[in-house]
Amino acid sequence: MDQLDRNLAMELVRTTEAAALAAAQWVGRGDKNAADAAAVQAMRRMLSTVHMKGIVVIGEGEKDQAPMLYIGEEVGTGEPPESDLAVDPIDGTRLCANGMPGAVSVVALAERGSMYYPPGIVYMNKIAVGPEAAHAIDIRLSPTENLHRIAEAKRMSVRLLTVVVLDRPRHQALIEEIRRAGARIRLITDGDVAGAVMTAFPESGVDVLMGIGGSPEAVVAAAALKCVGGAIQCTLYPRDEEERQRARELGLELEKVFTADDLVRSDNVFFAMTGITTGDLVEGVRFTRHGAETHSIVMRSRTGTIRRIAAEHRLAKVQEYQTIA
Ligand code: VTB
Ligand code: MG
Ligand code: MG
């Protein structure tokens, strides 16, 4: 199957640009739900113009039963190709609401039926790296062992590695182990999609992402890392005994290691990311006298092309962008 047209990459970046422009108007206003609603609405509106018969496989949440871009929603113009979509109109809603660095808007697309979402399991344990260390990781080994293998693959000392970890109480032991192993940690309060993608971009100064984060974010990150030749490995992480039980009933394997190829079983993957607030990967939205500037990364696995797109938007001229009074 090779029916996903390469022009889709450009169509997709419009959707993350629109979401980022909408979200940016809520940066620092302390209202993450309003920011999210604006971003979701803007992305959804732009998605409806994309030439595809898309279905949202990874969407706005299981967690809070969002009314739009929900799992199973059909998006696009309805004409071929048939595709699976993973969307996160804002990854890092809190970052956005607090005006903190690193909030992004992301979307990934692949052939129909190729994206996996573990039903009912909202968290996964993850390890992600860029291309140089893609063959070195094994989530079944300890963090210490992984750090040594990554250091060897990158021909660096463990002491010089930087590990991105979500700042959560559940990561206390992980953080202690990483420090004991000698590596450095960059704690982030949210945004582990960007955290995972950063590992494939040396200028971000990040070598590896470790820890437990959202399952949707794992699939989105897998799509991105497939485009750049990085790697991610995940295991399901039930929050409590009830969720563990449900997972068993559904026949989910708690020991199974999910690779990028398990999460996105297609070699034809598209990924777009636009910055909302400035982070280590992309700059955020900047408002100007005439409108706004956005910065995006667009990638496609088939060719491995990575595009950085800076765009100037004339807000007065483009009705789709006007989401705030
Ligand atoms: C992460 C982070 C997200 O969810 O996946 C996180 O990247 C994990 O859940 O930005 P908790 O916040 O419950 O720890 C987000 O914070 C929100 O989508
Ligand atoms: Mg989100
Ligand atoms: Mg998210």
Side-chain angles (χ1 to χ4, degrees):
M1 276 240 290
D2 189 15
Q3 46 165 278
L4 297 187
D5 189 276
R6 63 185 183 182
N7 289 332
L8 275 173
M10 295 304 167
E11 296 200 52
L12 286 179
V13 78
R14 259 191 220 107
T15 71
T16 54
E17 283 177 354
L21 284 167
Q25 297 169 58
W26 288 95
V27 164
R29 296 188 199 278
D31 189 343
K32 71 190 184 90
N33 293 332
D36 216 18
V40 169
Q41 192 184 25
M43 178 177 277
R44 186 170 185 246
R45 213 187 308 175
M46 203 56 96
L47 274 172
S48 71
T49 70
V50 176
H51 294 88
M52 63 175 174
K53 189 172 168 54
I55 189 160
V56 176
V57 175
I58 308 294
E60 287 295 296
E62 285 224 299
K63 270 195 259 188
D64 33 46
Q65 303 187 336
M68 290 197 290
L69 292 178
Y70 56 86
I71 295 172
E73 180 170 345
E74 288 187 27
V75 289
T77 54
E79 60 206 274
E82 295 202 331
S83 56
D84 277 2
L85 264 104
V87 304
D88 202 347
I90 304 180
D91 190 37
T93 48
R94 233 173 331 195
L95 299 173
C96 177
N98 293 335
M100 286 165 67
V104 295
S105 177
V106 287
V107 59
L109 181 150
E111 282 149 325
R112 176 65 59 88
S114 64
M115 284 182 184
Y116 175 74
Y117 184 66
I121 306 288
V122 296
Y123 290 113
M124 284 182 140
N125 189 23
K126 320 174 186 178
I127 180 168
V129 290
E132 290 173 334
H135 300 289
I137 56 168
D138 185 341
I139 200 168
R140 292 165 302 180
L141 302 176
S142 70
T144 307
E145 283 171 289
N146 274 296
L147 288 171
H148 283 282
R149 291 164 66 121
I150 294 163
E152 198 185 335
K154 298 189 91 164
R155 298 173 190 228
M156 287 164 74
S157 141
V158 171
R159 295 196 64 77
L160 296 179
L161 294 180
T162 298
V163 189
V164 171
V165 180
L166 275 169
D167 193 1
R168 296 288 185 276
R170 62 176 180 262
H171 289 149
Q172 199 191 328
L174 173 67
I175 290 169
E176 280 167 16
E177 177 169 346
I178 293 169
R179 291 195 174 133
R180 229 180 300 121
R184 304 175 302 158
I185 293 179
R186 188 179 301 177
L187 284 174
I188 54 171
T189 61
D190 290 284
D192 74 344
V193 173
V197 179
M198 270 191 263
T199 63
F201 288 79
E203 66 270 26
S204 70
V206 164
D207 301 284
V208 49
L209 167 112
M210 286 182 178
I212 296 147
S215 301
E217 283 82 2
V219 182
V220 176
L225 288 166
K226 282 188 81 142
C227 294
V228 284
I232 185 167
Q233 290 182 5
C234 308
T235 52
L236 303 175
Y237 184 84
R239 276 175 294 190
D240 48 31
E241 200 39 51
E242 194 189 320
E243 219 171 81
R244 183 178 301 275
Q245 187 55 33
R246 191 143 36 95
R248 281 205 209 91
E249 282 163 18
L250 289 170
L252 301 176
E253 297 166 76
L254 296 179
E255 292 75 35
K256 183 178 161 70
V257 175
F258 292 87
T259 64
D261 288 332
D262 294 318
L263 298 174
V264 185
R265 286 181 307 270
S266 164
D267 291 323
N268 210 354
V269 183
F270 295 78
F271 175 85
M273 168 186 280
T274 302
I276 298 168
T277 56
T278 293
D280 297 302
L281 209 48
V282 277
E283 282 177 55
V285 174
R286 219 169 13 239
F287 290 103
T288 64
R289 265 179 61 172
H290 303 294
E293 288 172 20
T294 55
H295 297 268
S296 307
I297 297 177
V298 191
M299 313 193 278
R300 186 174 168 235
S301 67
R302 177 59 46 94
T303 51
T305 309
I306 301 170
R307 291 191 171 83
R308 285 186 171 275
I309 299 180
E312 285 181 31
H313 308 269
R314 304 275 156 168
L315 296 190
K317 286 191 175 182
V318 186
Q319 220 192 336
E320 274 105 329
Y321 297 147
Q322 294 160 5
T323 55
I324 230 181

